[in-house]
Amino acid sequence: MTEKQEKILQAALELFARDGFSSTSTSKVAAHAGVSEGLIFRHFKNKEGLLEAIIKEGEVKARTLFADIVLESDPKEVIRKTIDMVLNISSNRADLEFWKLQYKIKWETEKYGEHKMEPLHLALTSAFTKLGYVSPELEASLLLIINDGLATRIALQKGFKCETLTSFLKEKYQV
Amino acid sequence: MTEKQEKILQAALELFARDGFSSTSTSKVAAHAGVSEGLIFRHFKNKEGLLEAIIKEGEVKARTLFADIVLESDPKEVIRKTIDMVLNISSNRADLEFWKLQYKIKWETEKYGEHKMEPLHLALTSAFTKLGYVSPELEASLLLIINDGLATRIALQKGFKCETLTSFLKEKYQV
DNA sequence: TATTAGAAAGTAAGTACTCACACAAGTAAT
DNA sequence: ATTACTTGTGTGAGTACTTACTTTCTAATA
């Protein structure tokens, strides 16, 4: 990938995250990236192609993020790392912007990437099973739903302090 | 409010919920409502005004929805009704569309109406206190966050069965 | 008669996207 | 070494069309 190609992606990421996909014009992306507008279409074919490139990047990042959790053998660690994941993301500026965009895209395109979550869901189910929970599969679903709720707050509720809730959760699950 | 005014609002609600605010043009709203485009600007001043009218409607609906819960004296009922609230919404087509739009707007405008949730949060805190929970305020926050997560799934994950999770929750809270 | 609801036809600015062209850098043949 | 040809990166001006919003007009009603 060339230097300007990366600049376009970075500019699109920033503007899409701030203003939304359909509120961001290709001319704005080009101006913000410091390139000509035509270059966007040369490299990404359409505006949609630009979005897809960003989504793909998100899928890769998600996989590497989950890998560390899924490979964990200690069930308590699986749960703890899942809870901490959202905390880690929220504490890093660049990561926060990136994942906020991924959620924004979900709401704008109305496609929920449930398949992306499946390995994590399986790992959590097995963890809750090992710990003797009565409904491990539902417990896993619930924890992921809590993470979705937390993500919503982190992204939209300015000044939301995530840490108090994550440590409360870790206490609850005794991890 | 005149007949055509209501038609405009209804059309805007449907299109904003389906395609998003900025992807929906005033001309499309007018066509869908069967009125001239200019009429939108006569009655709502601008596109933003149309959105505000819908948001205001949402605030009214939210208040009446919470009223029943807040006035409840039995702490277990407060918790049960809070959990069932999201289930009730998801089972009604028109309501679902309406609340989906409210969430969509939140993500598009990045304004989280936390003040709207405050009475419910207080009612839940008092309920958890009465039931002797160790951290009633955090428990209240957690339940509302779970509701946010559930709303995300209901709106975005097609085929999501909400009922299994809500009954699981009611079991967990013993309500 | 004055005010309002409504339609129809505008407007200027913006939209996604295309096109012709320039400038390299590599490759191969002379 | 020079020439010719391809290939990929990049630009800037243009395309047809859509956008939010205005203006001008009419018909009804209080």
Side-chain angles (χ1 to χ4, degrees), chain A residues 10 14 47 63 83 92 104 111 119 135 146 165-167:
Chain A
Q10 182 58 33
E14 281 175 34
K47 202 189 165 188
R63 262 196 292 278
I83 295 169
N92 181 314
K104 263 194 145 173
K111 297 233 135 66
S135 312
I146 290 173
L165 254 151
T166 49
S167 37

Side-chain angles (χ1 to χ4, degrees), chain A residues 104 107 110 112 148 153, chain B residues 104 107 110 112 148 153:
Chain A
K104 263 194 145 173
W107 278 97
E110 296 214 13
Y112 192 87
D148 270 355
R153 296 298 176 95
Chain B
K104 264 196 147 172
W107 278 97
E110 296 213 12
Y112 192 86
D148 270 355
R153 296 296 176 97

